[in-house]
């Protein structure tokens, strides 16, 4: 499951089974839950689930807290190991661009973007960071032209990315959406985490900070 963006996406995948996925773009304040419906569609129950994978962001603070708390609760209730996955890595992996560098760009709001770059959707070329759109040229300087930029941040700041020589798919292209199936696939490769250590990938300081007395 992933809740790094405004959408909630949940998938079920495994050997010998066709992956299924549900996605919801709720109105503000909406809290969809597709897990039970997915299990019913797959004809299985929690006893058949071997591992949970959850997107750790970076992304919206509230959405990530809800998604991670849900994964923790399910893992504890059903005795299932859980793996944390980078939402930017899942976004890049879903672009399926063999031989190309993929730049994942998530809108961080407040005039910033979360950004990272990967080769073949797997190997990290540029570690996740948070930058202003006007600073993308300096931040992505080592990536070079010809990269494929995907994500809601790539859609919003298309002009800045295309000016750097990056290709941005059409606004409605599926590559711009984080796919929970890719979270599953990355989770299958990762190591299970201690529940207390399952934390969001926060790349900037919180808005609320202690005030000196």
């Amino acid at each position: 499951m992933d809740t790094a963006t405004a959408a909630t996406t949940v998938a079920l995948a495994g050997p010998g089974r066709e992956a299924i996925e549900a996605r919801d773009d709720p109105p503000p304040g909406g809290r969809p839950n597709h897990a039970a419906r997915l299990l019913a569609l797959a004809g299985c129950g929690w006893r058949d689930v071997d591992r949970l994978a959850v997107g750790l962001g970076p992304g919206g603070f509230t959405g990530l807290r809800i998604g991670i708390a849900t994964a923790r609760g399910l893992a504890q209730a059903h005795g299932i190991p859980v793996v944390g996955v980078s939402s930017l890595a899942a976004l890049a992996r879903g672009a399926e661009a063999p031989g190309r560098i993929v730049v994942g760009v998530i809108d961080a709001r407040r005039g910033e973007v979360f950004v990272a770059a990967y080769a073949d959707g797997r190997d990290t070329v540029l570690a996740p960071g948070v930058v202003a759109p006007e600073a993308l040229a300096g931040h992505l300087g080592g990536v070079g032209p010809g990269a494929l930029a995907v994500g809601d941040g790539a859609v919003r700041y298309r002009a800045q990315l295309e000016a750097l020589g990056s290709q941005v798919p059409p606004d409605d292209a599926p590559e711009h959406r984080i796919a929970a199936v890719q979270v599953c696939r990355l989770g299958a490769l990762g190591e299970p985490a201690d529940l207390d250590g399952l934390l969001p990938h926060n790349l900037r300081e919180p808005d609320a900070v202690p005030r000196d007395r």
Side-chain angles (χ1 to χ4, degrees), residues 9 26 48 55 58 94 134 144 150 159 179:
T9 177
D48 301 306
E134 57 269 22
V150 296

Side-chain angles (χ1 to χ4, degrees), residues 95-108:
E96 297 183 356
R100 299 184 66 182
I101 292 178
V102 178
V103 180
V105 191
I106 294 176
D107 189 359

Side-chain angles (χ1 to χ4, degrees), residues 1 3 51-57 61 64-76 80-86 183 187 190-202:
M1 65 183 74
T3 55
R51 175 177 292 202
L52 291 171
V54 60
L56 300 181
F61 181 70
L64 285 175
R65 286 182 63 192
I66 292 172
I68 293 171
T70 300
R72 280 178 174 172
L74 291 172
Q76 189 168 32
I80 304 171
V82 60
V83 179
V85 170
S86 166
V183 176
E191 291 294 326
D194 179 86
L195 292 184
D196 291 335
L198 202 66
L199 301 170
H201 287 170
N202 292 323

Side-chain angles (χ1 to χ4, degrees), residues 12 17 39 43-51 74 77-80:
L12 185 69
R17 181 189 298 272
L39 291 172
C44 66
W46 285 112
R47 67 185 181 280
D48 301 306
V49 177
D50 299 314
R51 175 177 292 202
L74 291 172
H78 299 285
I80 304 171

Side-chain angles (χ1 to χ4, degrees), residues 123-169:
D123 301 321
T124 303
V125 174
L126 181 68
V130 56
V131 298
E134 57 269 22
L136 280 169
H139 192 73
L140 295 174
V143 174
L148 178 66
V150 296
D152 58 358
V155 170
R156 184 169 184 177
Y157 298 106
R158 172 186 293 277
Q160 289 89 333
L161 289 161
E162 290 182 338
L164 300 177
S166 296
Q167 177 188 350
V168 182

